[in-house]
Amino acid sequence: MAGKFELKKGKTGKFSFNLKSGNGQVVFTSQAYENKRAANAGIASVKKNAKSDARFERKASKSGQPFFVIKATNGQVIGKSQMYANAVSMEKGIKSVKTNAPTADTNDLTEAKPTAKKAAKKAPAKKKAPAKKKAPAKKKAAAKKKPAVKKAPAKKKAPAKKKAIAKKKPAAKIAPAKKKAPAKKKAKK
């Protein structure tokens, strides 16, 4: 399996890249770049300069751990390696960069991340949407039935009350007349 560069955008908005060996281990990390174009130029510089052993500068950390940096032809540091346990391991890392960098493809994670986030956001939304649609549909149906039942009698009762009130007044006038009439009939018998 061939090595590859992975271009990414950090939380600060700056761009950087890692060179991964064929087994997926990070062997080289770039400096931070202000824009994507500069980061891609850095990748091209690593590909070009990895062929020359003179571009590798071997160093040691304050704690004595060996690591290396790659410098461009103008002397600017392009990036550095991980910390190694010993010089032999560091030399294997340099060999890995020399082998993998010149022909490595670039995996642009700056474009894949937004798409993945959108897909991740959309996927749960799609899964949740049917659940939300089903639940509100039942609630709406229930809500529609309940207000319809409540509204229909309320509308019927309200006009009925108005009619009843309106009729009660005349009915009240008629009612005593009807009561008197049966009373007369009873009296006649």
Side-chain angles (χ1 to χ4, degrees):
M1 186 171 169
K4 64 181 175 181
F5 286 100
E6 286 187 345
L7 177 62
K8 59 186 177 179
K9 186 175 183 179
K11 292 179 182 178
T12 61
K14 293 188 177 186
F15 294 83
S16 63
F17 60 86
N18 290 324
L19 173 62
K20 290 188 171 184
S21 63
N23 65 5
Q25 184 179 3
V26 175
V27 291
F28 182 78
T29 302
S30 75
Q31 64 175 350
Y33 294 92
E34 292 295 322
N35 57 53
K36 189 175 178 178
R37 186 178 53 83
N40 280 320
I43 291 171
S45 182
V46 171
K47 286 182 176 188
K48 176 184 170 186
N49 291 297
K51 297 173 186 175
S52 173
D53 192 58
R55 300 288 175 236
F56 290 86
E57 187 175 317
R58 290 142 176 95
K59 295 185 168 199
S61 68
K62 290 180 182 179
S63 63
Q65 290 183 295
F67 70 98
F68 63 88
V69 297
I70 299 177
K71 291 187 173 184
T73 53
N74 64 3
Q76 183 179 359
V77 174
I78 303 167
K80 68 178 187 173
S81 70
Q82 63 180 4
M83 297 296 164
Y84 293 96
N86 54 51
V88 173
S89 298
M90 179 187 66
E91 290 301 325
K92 286 181 182 178
I94 290 171
K95 184 178 178 183
S96 178
V97 172
K98 286 181 177 181
T99 303
N100 290 296
T103 59
D105 290 329
T106 301
N107 185 9
D108 189 348
L109 300 177
T110 63
E111 293 176 1
K113 280 187 179 179
T115 306
K117 286 181 181 176
K118 288 179 183 176
K121 288 180 181 177
K122 287 181 182 176
K126 288 180 182 176
K127 289 178 183 176
K128 290 179 183 177
K132 287 181 180 178
K133 287 180 183 176
K134 288 178 183 176
K138 290 178 183 177
K139 288 179 182 177
K140 287 181 182 176
K144 287 181 181 177
K145 288 178 184 177
K146 288 178 183 177
V149 172
K150 289 179 182 177
K151 288 180 182 177
K155 287 181 181 177
K156 289 179 183 177
K157 288 179 183 177
K161 288 179 182 177
K162 289 179 183 177
K163 289 178 184 176
I165 293 170
K167 289 180 180 178
K168 281 181 182 178
K169 289 178 183 176
K173 291 178 183 177
I174 297 170
K178 286 182 181 179
K179 286 181 181 178
K180 288 179 184 177
K184 289 179 184 177
K185 287 180 184 178
K186 286 182 183 179
K188 289 180 183 178
K189 287 183 181 179

